[in-house]
Amino acid sequence: MALAVKRSISEISTLPEPATIVPQITTHRLYKRIRRNACKSSGTLTSILSYVNMLEDASSNDALQILLKITDSMHFDESEFPDAIRKLVEHFQREPESAVRVKILSLFADLATETGIDGQQLIDEVIKLLKVEQSAKVISQGLIVLEKIGKSFTPSVAYINQMVFFAKVKLFSPSHNVQRHAILLLGVFVLVSDAEKESLELIGKYTDSPDARVRAQAFRSMLTLGERGVQLPPSLYPRACASLTDDYECVRREALNMVFELGVRHPEEMIKVQDSEQEVRLIDDAFGKVCSAICDLSMNIRTLAAELLGGMTMVSDEFLHQTLDKKLMSNMRKKRSLHERSAAHFASGEWSSGKKWADDAPKEVISADSVSLMASGACGALVQGLEDEFLEVRTASVNSMCKLALKNPLFAVTSLDFLVDMFNDEIEEVRLRAIYSLTAISRHIILREDQLETMLSSLEDYSVEVREGLHLMLGACKVSTKACLTLVVQKVLDVLLKYPEDRLSTFGCMQRVGQKHPEICMSITPQLLLDHPFFDSAERDVEDPAYVCVLIMLFNAAQHLPAMLSLFPETTIKHYAYLRDTMPNFVPRLAVGGDTKELNLIGSTGSRQFLETLLSNIQRAYSAPQARQALLKAAQDDLDRLAEIDPAFSGTANFTSVFFGAQLQMEQLQLAATGHSIKAPIKECLLQLIKKCLMLQNLFSNLTIDDQLLVKQMCLRASALNLVLIVKDRSQSALGPCQLLLHIASDASSFLQENTPLIADTFTSAILTKLASVGDPKPGRVYREILPIVQTAAPVVIPQINTNIKMCKARIIEPTENSYSAENVIKVTAGLIAAVPFVAELENLQQSQRQDLRLKVKYPDQNVHIIVPRKRDLKKVMTEQGESESQWRLRTKVLLSHGVWTEASTVEITICLSVKPNNELELCKPVKVHFAPKPVKRGL
């Protein structure tokens, strides 16, 4: 089934060239007119007054329906806003139904957030209406509206003080909803200087409110003030601790966040232990309080407590280690001298009667709760989190244990056994978190044989992600003995026989194992190579994956210990040359068999110098069109080759190459616009130009604002050429291209307005001015206005060198053309479905592009199916340092189905980005698999 997802048209964009902006219309009005014309061309601009006038004679129910229609439209003429607001205020004052008044206030907030209405006027009107309002429901909604309006723009200090004063007045309302939203408004808008003086204390008083929602909001607003830069004093700590035992979950949650925040902000502050004169650090006491929350009845509180523990890295070692032991450690008890104990016993007036043996013996402790520095319920908090029945709590506990272990090597060693035990958890997500956590702390630990046995038993897990995670972990950790390394190698090779699809992951694991254990690898080299000291051994098959794994490990170990080379037999040296050529990513360069010098390209010197020379030659040929076009064609080939040989410079080279290709197509089409004939079909050239513009927009990241302007200007030229050529052709409607041009011009004008230092080139300035002067943006009128500008347009300015540009691209790992060759055909009954495993790695994919990822399947009859992969099939690649920032892995199944074929034929599968309907940008070359739908076998 072919699926396509529509996107909003933010089609195309461009960069600068020193030029003059036509001074007929001011910049602000110019941009505003272009946006209004773009709305007119789509027919979406409506009159808000036509709706508001209907409210005069409407009943309450009808008024509510009219207000709902206004909310659904939200595309209005901004010049009508003042009159519309005045009439809405008048209707509010005479409306008896509170629900309608609430909706009017809500409409004010929607207008502020979605249109360009004056927010200060709305603030004045809302506060004026609420001052005489009696309904608590309406006042509560008004406070919410004030918050939304204030966030929609940057209000002045006078308006901020006006909103804060009004909120303080409403704090004394008997309604808990009004109090809650007044506290919320104070937390968001009160000035930092005022908050530290009085507002913080005022909000703090409401933590004792009889209503739980008000208490929770008071803590939440104080945390908001802390995020805004207000200094939260340690005096709030007792108040937060007292609320940890509140009956309501929402209060306990916010109080727990407050305890954590105060502990992190004031770690060295000394406070007294409850019922004692002894003092402890605030961070230690807060850590104990958070640990106690692990035993809370609510799963959400337990999860939050487990997450917060990971952020308290400044806690003392004795408190930290107590989280792994459910019994109270001796160093966590408060001890009294013998004299103090005897004095207390004497003061109690109790004497031994002699009837009970040793009843007068000195006692060290009486009650664990009254004599310990940490509550007994908080002991073993992380262990309790790891044993919790809910996977959310267990996952959060594993993550926190990892964060704490990264900061404390001794705790990392102590927590190792607990993390290893989590490898046997019933939930795959928890197992993966434990594996990744152990990978992250691998630099602090050395694995023992008993721990390895538990880890290696998980290698046979059905989940490929768990197996790959274990490969990553084994490659990151160090083992202690020769027997441990032998155990790892044997188990990895046994699992490889069971799961041959893990070949690449296993190669990477053995590569890292060899790099980290060169000495141990040297001691077991003869054993692994089956090399007899007196007799020649049979030559091993170099295509055997198990043998390749062994060689990869030994070659990487030999890189750090060259003495190992003397232990390799002659056949192994020959196999090294073969593997070095076929697997350069896994096999390092060694000092065997010839020249060992390696050519290194340094992007900051050689590649950059080459690109600078290339651009300067093109710039010098700016006034010679034929010479410039020849240079651009040659530069494309050179840049494509540069991208292949220098990966660090590939993004910049690919961006420049695509830009030059778009410029060549544009110059060809510009000749066609002036009446000259060109060799290539115009439609084909237009499609190629639009595709390259879409590539510039969607496949490249880390562009500077100059690069973005250059792209927007290029796209504006392309859309203008598109409209001119389609109108000249007269074979299809020009309404769509005209709307596209207006939207692109609107996008470019908004970009220039947001970045005022940028200056558009002469073409962009002229086009924007012409479009702003068009009253009725019909295709014929727009065509006549822009035709002279398009025909006389100067060449585009070449881009500056930006070495930070990254290009989104993909690499298909599975299937390969060898795995489904002519000898290994996918056979299926016609009409049924064959599921082909598909694995691909993507580089520099933006988070916002995840939903645009597609799989494209092209059959021999030219039918194309676009498949939307599931979101859970796309995950970030894990490394020893954690999740990769720019690399993703897609693991899914491609479903193939077709009618009867007489013989097997190839089906092309590739991965692409859907940037607009019926426009997919391929991220890699398609892989071809042989597919043969067979006719249904009829029974006798």
Side-chain angles (χ1 to χ4, degrees):
M1 168 192 269
L3 300 176
V5 178
K6 289 187 176 181
R7 257 163 74 123
S8 60
I9 306 178
S10 68
E11 270 4 325
I12 324 181
S13 330
T14 0
L15 185 185
E17 164 187 293
T20 57
I21 297 180
V22 180
Q24 299 171 353
I25 307 175
T26 61
T27 304
H28 176 73
R29 291 176 58 204
L30 172 69
Y31 299 148
K32 187 175 178 180
R33 287 188 185 182
I34 292 175
R35 289 195 296 272
R36 188 171 65 245
N37 286 341
C39 292
K40 283 183 180 179
S41 69
S42 302
T44 58
L45 202 62
T46 56
S47 172
I48 189 174
L49 283 177
S50 62
Y51 287 110
V52 175
N53 291 331
M54 297 167 60
L55 293 173
E56 295 181 359
D57 301 324
S59 63
S60 296
N61 289 335
D62 294 339
L64 195 58
Q65 296 300 322
I66 294 171
L67 292 171
L68 288 173
K69 290 180 180 179
I70 296 176
T71 303
D72 293 338
S73 298
M74 280 302 157
H75 289 287
F76 303 117
D77 188 354
E78 296 182 3
S79 62
E80 298 179 350
F81 281 161
D83 292 336
I85 295 299
R86 178 177 53 80
K87 293 187 177 183
L88 284 172
V89 169
E90 292 174 356
H91 186 79
F92 181 97
Q93 292 171 343
R94 65 174 181 266
E95 176 60 51
E97 182 61 45
S98 61
V100 179
R101 300 202 300 275
V102 166
K103 184 58 187 173
I104 292 175
L105 292 175
S106 176
L107 179 60
F108 288 163
D110 293 338
L111 289 173
T113 54
E114 298 185 24
T115 65
I117 196 170
D118 184 10
Q120 295 181 351
Q121 177 193 359
L122 284 180
I123 291 176
D124 289 333
E125 296 292 348
V126 170
I127 293 179
K128 188 184 303 181
L129 293 175
L130 294 181
K131 283 181 179 179
V132 295
E133 180 61 49
Q134 299 298 322
S135 172
K137 180 168 64 175
V138 178
I139 296 175
S140 177
Q141 179 65 34
L143 292 169
I144 297 175
V145 168
L146 285 176
E147 181 206 357
K148 291 183 178 179
I149 296 174
K151 287 183 176 179
S152 66
F153 73 109
T154 305
S156 62
V157 176
Y159 280 92
I160 290 177
N161 289 333
Q162 189 178 352
M163 288 190 290
V164 168
F165 178 77
F166 180 75
K168 288 181 178 180
V169 171
K170 293 303 176 182
L171 281 177
F172 301 100
S173 172
S175 170
H176 67 271
N177 264 331
V178 175
Q179 290 181 3
R180 184 161 59 93
H181 291 110
I183 294 172
L184 171 62
L185 195 63
L186 285 176
V188 174
F189 289 109
V190 68
L191 297 178
V192 174
S193 56
D194 295 341
E196 293 179 348
K197 294 177 182 177
E198 54 181 20
S199 297
L200 190 63
E201 183 63 28
L202 177 62
I203 295 174
K205 292 179 181 179
Y206 284 85
T207 58
D208 299 325
S209 172
D211 190 276
R213 289 163 290 189
V214 177
R215 298 197 297 272
Q217 184 59 57
F219 280 117
R220 194 177 304 122
S221 292
M222 286 192 288
L223 289 170
T224 303
L225 289 173
E227 293 173 358
R228 294 176 54 203
V230 175
Q231 185 69 22
L232 299 178
S235 58
L236 297 174
Y237 184 72
R239 198 175 279 172
C241 291
S243 298
L244 290 175
T245 56
D246 196 279
D247 293 337
Y248 291 88
E249 177 186 333
C250 60
V251 181
R252 298 200 301 275
R253 184 193 307 116
E254 302 302 334
L256 195 61
N257 283 318
M258 178 61 75
V259 168
F260 168 80
E261 191 68 25
L262 292 172
V264 172
R265 285 173 178 260
H266 309 282
E268 302 301 330
E269 185 79 16
M270 301 302 293
I271 63 170
K272 290 184 179 180
V273 180
Q274 188 177 3
D275 300 329
S276 172
E277 295 297 324
Q278 190 165 351
E279 292 185 340
V280 294
R281 297 163 68 225
L282 180 57
I283 184 66
D284 294 338
D285 192 72
F287 187 80
K289 293 291 190 297
V290 176
C291 287
S292 298
I294 293 284
C295 306
D296 195 275
L297 293 177
S298 170
M299 183 271 291
N300 295 325
I301 299 297
R302 297 201 300 273
T303 304
L304 177 62
E307 291 173 351
L308 294 179
L309 286 178
M312 308 179 79
T313 54
M314 300 179 68
V315 67
S316 302
D317 288 349
E318 57 268 20
F319 282 84
L320 186 58
H321 287 83
Q322 182 65 69
T323 59
L324 300 178
D325 194 342
K326 290 186 178 181
K327 293 181 180 180
L328 192 65
M329 297 179 182
S330 60
N331 62 347
M332 296 298 292
R333 299 179 185 272
K334 295 181 296 186
K335 299 180 177 61
R336 295 184 296 173
S337 66
L338 177 62
H339 177 73
E340 291 173 334
R341 294 197 298 270
S342 299
H345 187 65
F346 178 80
S348 66
E350 297 179 3
W351 300 94
S352 173
S353 63
K355 293 181 179 180
K356 187 177 180 181
W357 175 258
D359 62 349
D360 59 344
K363 298 177 182 178
E364 181 184 0
V365 296
I366 298 174
S367 170
D369 290 333
S370 62
V371 300
S372 61
L373 300 179
M374 177 186 283
S376 59
C379 299
L382 285 176
V383 178
Q384 293 180 15
L386 296 177
E387 296 172 351
D388 196 274
E389 60 178 320
F390 289 96
L391 69 94
E392 292 88 353
V393 183
R394 299 200 300 274
T395 304
S397 300
V398 170
N399 289 336
S400 290
M401 187 177 286
C402 173
K403 293 177 183 177
L404 294 170
L406 286 173
K407 299 292 184 179
N408 193 317
L410 185 59
F411 180 76
V413 176
T414 310
S415 63
L416 176 58
D417 288 329
F418 296 95
L419 286 175
V420 172
D421 288 341
M422 297 307 294
F423 285 16
N424 298 321
D425 194 275
E426 61 183 357
I427 303 298
E428 178 185 338
E429 182 182 351
V430 180
R431 297 199 299 273
L432 279 172
R433 291 315 313 168
I435 291 170
Y436 295 148
S437 297
L438 196 55
T439 304
I441 65 174
S442 58
R443 63 178 181 270
H444 298 314
I445 58 177
I446 297 179
L447 300 179
R448 304 189 307 270
E449 189 169 354
D450 59 316
Q451 296 166 337
L452 273 174
E453 290 177 356
T454 304
M455 296 178 183
L456 295 176
S457 63
S458 301
L459 263 179
E460 298 185 8
D461 195 290
Y462 72 93
S463 170
V464 63
E465 292 187 4
V466 172
R467 297 197 302 271
E468 289 187 352
L470 283 167
H471 288 153
L472 179 66
M473 185 212 66
L474 290 173
C477 295
K478 290 185 177 181
V479 298
S480 54
T481 63
K482 172 182 173 181
C484 291
L485 186 60
T486 305
L487 184 65
V488 170
V489 174
Q490 290 177 347
K491 187 64 177 180
V492 168
L493 297 183
D494 291 343
V495 174
L496 181 61
L497 292 176
K498 186 176 180 180
Y499 298 104
E501 63 269 19
D502 294 347
R503 182 180 66 259
L504 293 178
S505 176
T506 306
F507 289 167
C509 171
M510 301 307 289
Q511 178 186 24
R512 292 185 294 272
V513 168
Q515 291 171 350
K516 286 184 168 57
H517 306 87
E519 293 82 6
I520 302 179
C521 287
M522 183 175 181
S523 64
I524 61 174
T525 296
Q527 175 186 345
L528 293 177
L529 295 177
L530 304 179
D531 186 27
H532 196 275
F534 305 117
F535 303 104
D536 287 338
S537 304
E539 183 176 354
R540 306 275 296 273
D541 182 9
V542 75
E543 298 295 336
D544 180 14
Y547 177 57
V548 173
C549 284
V550 172
L551 291 183
I552 288 175
M553 184 183 73
L554 296 180
F555 290 152
N556 281 276
Q559 183 185 19
H560 301 278
L561 195 63
M564 286 181 60
L565 297 175
S566 61
L567 300 177
F568 293 164
E570 184 178 351
T571 55
T572 303
I573 301 298
K574 294 179 180 179
H575 293 164
Y576 161 77
Y578 171 75
L579 293 178
R580 173 61 189 167
D581 290 337
T582 56
M583 300 182 181
N585 293 334
F586 296 112
V587 180
R589 185 176 295 274
L590 300 176
V592 292
D595 188 14
T596 61
K597 293 183 180 180
E598 185 174 5
L599 177 62
N600 290 320
L601 282 177
I602 303 175
S604 60
T605 56
S607 300
R608 185 182 181 91
Q609 183 179 0
F610 169 77
L611 189 55
E612 287 176 349
T613 304
L614 190 67
L615 295 181
S616 64
N617 291 337
I618 297 174
Q619 186 65 36
R620 282 197 293 269
Y622 186 81
S623 58
Q626 294 183 350
R628 186 179 66 255
Q629 291 182 13
L631 284 174
L632 289 175
K633 291 178 182 179
Q636 279 187 276
D637 298 334
D638 294 339
L639 290 169
D640 292 340
R641 180 58 181 161
L642 176 63
E644 293 177 3
I645 64 177
D646 190 357
F649 220 72
S650 62
T652 306
N654 284 321
F655 176 80
T656 311
S657 175
V658 173
F659 188 88
F660 286 167
Q663 188 171 349
L664 280 171
Q665 294 286 352
M666 195 170 295
E667 292 183 4
Q668 291 285 331
L669 292 171
Q670 194 171 350
L671 289 175
T674 56
H676 296 79
S677 60
I678 58 175
K679 297 180 181 179
I682 293 178
K683 286 187 178 180
E684 186 66 26
C685 288
L686 278 174
L687 290 176
Q688 290 294 327
L689 177 59
I690 292 174
K691 181 180 178 181
K692 290 184 181 298
C693 289
L694 291 173
M695 290 177 65
L696 291 173
Q697 278 186 300
N698 298 279
L699 296 189
F700 298 96
S701 56
N702 296 341
L703 299 179
T704 64
I705 58 172
D706 290 335
D707 295 333
Q708 294 176 39
L709 179 59
L710 193 60
V711 172
K712 290 181 183 296
Q713 292 180 159
M714 175 71 76
C715 295
L716 184 62
R717 288 178 180 241
S719 59
L721 271 172
N722 185 33
L723 176 61
V724 168
L725 293 174
I726 286 179
V727 172
K728 278 179 170 289
D729 185 51
R730 297 184 179 181
S731 62
Q732 56 181 310
S733 172
L735 184 60
C738 180
Q739 292 180 358
L740 177 62
L741 172 62
L742 290 172
H743 278 90
I744 294 172
S746 174
D747 178 52
S749 64
S750 299
F751 182 80
L752 288 168
Q753 186 178 11
E754 294 169 1
N755 302 276
T756 50
L758 297 180
I759 301 177
D761 60 13
T762 53
F763 176 87
T764 303
S765 301
I767 285 286
L768 294 182
T769 305
K770 286 292 184 183
L771 293 179
S773 63
V774 174
D776 187 16
K778 295 293 180 63
R781 175 72 185 278
V782 174
Y783 163 77
R784 289 190 295 273
E785 293 290 343
I786 68 173
L787 179 61
I789 304 174
V790 171
Q791 291 177 337
T792 59
V796 185
V797 175
I798 60 176
Q800 300 297 315
I801 297 177
N802 177 11
T803 57
N804 297 322
I805 296 178
K806 302 295 181 184
M807 181 180 182
C808 179
K809 51 188 176 181
R811 179 172 65 93
I812 298 177
I813 300 175
E814 187 180 355
T816 61
E817 295 189 3
N818 294 330
S819 59
Y820 295 103
S821 59
E823 292 78 21
N824 190 13
V825 181
I826 304 172
K827 298 180 180 179
V828 67
T829 301
L832 297 183
I833 294 174
V836 180
F838 184 88
V839 182
E841 288 189 354
L842 298 100
E843 296 182 6
N844 306 309
L845 180 71
Q846 302 299 307
Q847 189 75 27
S848 59
Q849 295 176 326
R850 291 184 60 188
Q851 69 270 16
D852 300 328
L853 201 63
R854 301 289 184 269
L855 296 176
K856 183 160 71 172
V857 181
K858 186 177 181 181
Y859 291 95
D861 58 359
Q862 303 306 308
N863 278 336
V864 176
H865 290 184
I866 303 298
I867 303 172
V868 182
R870 296 178 297 184
K871 289 184 179 180
R872 66 182 184 184
D873 292 339
L874 181 64
K875 297 182 179 179
K876 286 189 174 181
V877 175
M878 295 300 298
T879 64
E880 294 185 18
Q881 291 74 33
E883 287 187 347
S884 174
E885 293 295 330
S886 59
Q887 289 189 321
W888 300 75
R889 179 177 288 115
L890 176 65
R891 191 186 304 277
T892 185
K893 290 184 181 293
V894 178
L895 305 181
L896 302 181
S897 180
H898 209 279
V900 179
W901 295 354
T902 56
E903 61 183 15
S905 187
T906 57
V907 176
E908 296 183 358
I909 305 174
T910 187
I911 188 168
C912 55
L913 276 180
S914 177
V915 294
K916 54 181 292 191
N918 301 322
N919 277 274
E920 289 81 26
L921 300 178
E922 294 186 0
L923 301 181
C924 62
K925 293 182 179 179
V927 61
K928 297 180 180 180
V929 298
H930 283 74
F931 181 58
K934 297 297 182 183
V936 179
K937 292 183 179 180
R938 304 294 181 181
L940 296 176

